[in-house]
Amino acid sequence: MVLVVVVALAAGTKLAKDHGQGADWYTGVGQWVGGLGSLIAAGIALWIATSDRRRADRLRSEEQERQAADLAREAGLVMIDARRLASVVRIAPGDSKAGVSVRNRRRSRLFDIEIVRFVQQGEEVADLELQRQFGVFDPAANEGKNRTRSDLIDLLPVLVLNSDQVLTLFPKNRPDVPADYVAVRYTDESGMRWEVDTDGSPARKVG
């Protein structure tokens, strides 16, 4: 910028001399250059401020995306499986029936667990009924003492599934065939509600 001003002054001085202008010419030039300099400085300051704001917005957006991805990865630690499972009440050793398991591999508890989609033999079941009682299998329990705990409850939404616990659910009045697809929703300790499924898709935040 200084070089431009110097060149402009030199050219202006030569033109002024060629046209018989006096020293007063410099006063006008100085004012003009000062105004131009102020305008350029204001433009540079605006550009810097705008660039800083855009960079801050971009960094904030990237951080929010990272946090959302971390939350989704943690939510995906809740594993859903549809297969033959050990029934809560067994008639014979090794007895099993088609059911759904919810395994909590998170370090925190789950609340308000709900099956929101159940597809069996190619048919989506809209009026799914579950066995009235639910068994919670606790891998952390002692081998010789209630490894399969009889934590039986009447209402699924009030159940709290702790870390490392597995909840088993059994459809009522349905064929004894594992489901093709199951989607389950739950609420974590922070109050966020998530949906996970048997396909192993990324956890989806809902609500």
Side-chain angles (χ1 to χ4, degrees), residues 76-174:
L77 293 177
V78 177
M79 315 297 292
I80 312 300
D81 196 8
R83 56 187 174 85
R84 300 196 67 82
L85 302 167
S87 178
V88 177
V89 180
R90 302 188 192 185
I91 299 177
D95 186 28
S96 65
K97 59 190 301 186
V100 178
S101 67
V102 181
R103 180 183 295 270
N104 181 16
R105 293 187 179 275
R106 297 185 61 154
R107 291 175 293 180
S108 55
R109 297 172 298 172
L110 311 183
F111 308 90
D112 196 14
I113 300 169
E114 174 190 14
I115 292 183
V116 294
R117 191 177 180 199
F118 188 91
V119 179
Q120 186 180 49
Q121 296 180 313
E123 173 192 359
E124 183 164 355
V125 182
D127 55 348
L128 178 68
E129 290 185 77
L130 295 171
Q131 188 173 339
R132 187 169 181 268
Q133 294 181 322
F134 309 96
V136 176
F137 169 72
D138 189 355
N142 294 328
E143 281 286 348
K145 185 179 180 180
N146 285 340
R147 183 170 175 80
T148 302
R149 296 188 353 222
S150 57
D151 291 351
L152 305 178
I153 63 172
D154 292 336
L155 298 175
L156 182 60
V158 303
L159 178 131
V160 177
L161 191 63
N162 294 317
S163 180
D164 291 328
Q165 284 188 335
V166 181
L167 171 66
T168 55
L169 309 172
F170 298 97
K172 188 176 180 181
N173 301 322
R174 297 295 307 171

Side-chain angles (χ1 to χ4, degrees), residues 39-62:
L39 183 63
I40 293 175
I44 292 175
L46 179 61
W47 177 79
I48 292 175
T50 302
S51 298
D52 288 345
R53 186 174 66 251
R54 288 176 179 173
R55 182 167 59 253
D57 290 344
R58 185 179 67 254
L59 292 175
R60 189 181 306 110
S61 177
E62 291 175 353

